[in-house]
Amino acid sequence: MKGEFEKTVQHIKSQAEHTERQIKQQFEKLHQFLRDEEEATVTALREEEEQKKQMMKEKLEEMNTHISALSHTIKDMEEMMKANDVCFLKEFPVSMERVQSSQPDPQKASGALIHVPRYLGNLPFRVWKKMQDIVQNTPVILDPNTAYPRLVLSDDLTSVRYNKQTLPDNPERFDYLPCVLGSEGFNSGTHCWDVEVKECKYWTLGVTTASNQRKGSVFFNTDVWCVSYGCTPGFPVKQKLDRVRVILDYDGGTVSFSDPVTNTHLHTFTTTFTHTLFPFFCFHGSLRILPVNSQ
């Protein structure tokens, strides 16, 4: 027992170090996203600044040309006015036509200023909405502390494959059946999750109570509602599937299973639930809990 405790201490240390690395990696991805969004927003602002400045520069150049033309016109009029009265009157119609300006009066530019609300209006909310395109929400997260020792979970705890590793024999862990539980239990409401099983040789999916025995081979004897392929527990599925959808209606007392690819109903259990239920997954191969946006 002392040896098991010492192994547990080492595993706790390893878990903490690995989890810390994953936390930093995940936050770095979010930080990088925010840095990219900041850069893109500032770049768009600079581009608009240059565009608006160029527009005003062109108007200023146009105005300088206009001022220069007016200056020449004024000089012509002054020269004309220096002549004697007879010459002035004689040349007046031609001179007036020559000094008339064909340039329209300059107008103030509409929309010349920076569109500030485009950049600052609801900025955190708009970035958060855009962030939703790069993040995924998975309805069930696997609990590594319950996983059979030969089941290796992905870093995001949404997929699992069959492989050999050394893990402590803690009370929560399956030690005989290749199973793993979801990390969150349900005691009300309706919940749905899709499981990708196309890489599994055999599989059993469903829900069970938190108190169900995980040690030994008696897990499927009581408090299990499930369907299976290639093995005997629960309701048998004959055809090989790519995905299985599980819908738990706790208050309605049903657990339904279907094939979401073909929208085919597989089986429904009807009962009265009185205990907290956890999703469970028993398989050989590899499976994955699909994010909500891919269902």
Side-chain angles (χ1 to χ4, degrees), residues 66-281:
H66 189 48
I67 290 173
S68 177
L70 284 175
S71 297
H72 288 298
T73 300
I74 291 171
K75 287 181 180 180
D76 290 343
M77 292 180 70
E78 288 175 342
E79 291 296 324
M80 179 182 68
M81 292 172 68
K82 289 178 182 179
N84 59 55
D85 293 346
V86 175
C87 290
F88 176 80
L89 292 174
K90 183 178 179 181
E91 299 292 333
F92 182 77
V94 176
S95 299
M96 285 301 298
E97 184 179 348
R98 182 159 50 91
V99 300
Q100 288 296 322
S101 174
S102 61
Q103 296 288 338
D105 291 338
Q107 302 292 324
K108 291 183 179 180
S110 178
L113 302 182
I114 296 292
H115 194 329
V116 177
R118 180 182 299 159
Y119 306 102
L120 296 182
N122 289 324
L123 178 59
F125 177 78
R126 288 188 290 110
V127 173
W128 172 73
K129 289 288 289 183
K130 194 170 182 179
M131 186 179 290
Q132 290 182 312
D133 295 335
I134 68 163
V135 298
Q136 294 181 328
N137 175 33
T138 306
V140 172
I141 300 299
L142 302 174
D143 183 357
N145 294 336
T146 67
Y148 177 68
R150 292 192 176 185
L151 298 184
V152 180
L153 274 63
S154 62
D155 290 332
D156 63 359
L157 306 179
T158 63
S159 63
V160 57
R161 57 187 173 85
Y162 205 87
N163 205 346
K164 190 174 183 180
Q165 60 182 341
T166 301
L167 296 172
D169 186 23
N170 50 298
E172 300 89 353
R173 191 177 305 282
F174 288 90
D175 66 349
Y176 182 80
L177 296 169
C179 296
V180 61
L181 295 183
S183 61
E184 181 184 0
F186 306 120
N187 53 24
S188 65
T190 300
H191 309 273
C192 174
W193 58 95
D194 283 6
V195 189
E196 188 176 77
V197 294
K198 62 183 179 181
E199 301 297 331
C200 293
K201 183 178 179 181
Y202 62 81
W203 49 262
T204 303
L205 308 172
V207 295
T208 187
T209 58
S211 59
N212 196 1
Q213 180 59 251
R214 303 172 198 176
K215 303 298 184 182
S217 60
V218 298
F219 173 75
F220 289 106
N221 290 356
T222 57
D223 294 335
V224 173
W225 298 267
C226 62
V227 296
S228 62
Y229 171 79
C231 48
T232 55
F235 180 83
V237 176
K238 304 298 183 181
Q239 66 274 32
K240 183 172 177 58
L241 304 176
D242 286 344
R243 298 182 181 184
V244 177
R245 175 166 295 171
V246 185
I247 301 178
L248 167 64
D249 181 357
Y250 190 98
D251 301 320
T254 62
V255 184
S256 299
F257 302 86
S258 63
D259 175 5
V261 177
T262 60
N263 197 28
T264 302
H265 176 259
L266 300 175
H267 189 70
T268 296
F269 292 96
T270 303
T271 185
T272 300
F273 300 122
T274 56
H275 298 85
T276 300
L277 299 179
F278 283 81
F280 82 89
F281 313 85

Side-chain angles (χ1 to χ4, degrees), residues 32-47:
Q32 186 60 51
F33 171 82
L34 293 176
R35 286 193 291 266
D36 292 343
E37 283 299 304
E38 178 186 2
E39 182 179 354
T41 305
V42 171
T43 298
L45 171 62
R46 296 300 180 215
E47 289 176 352

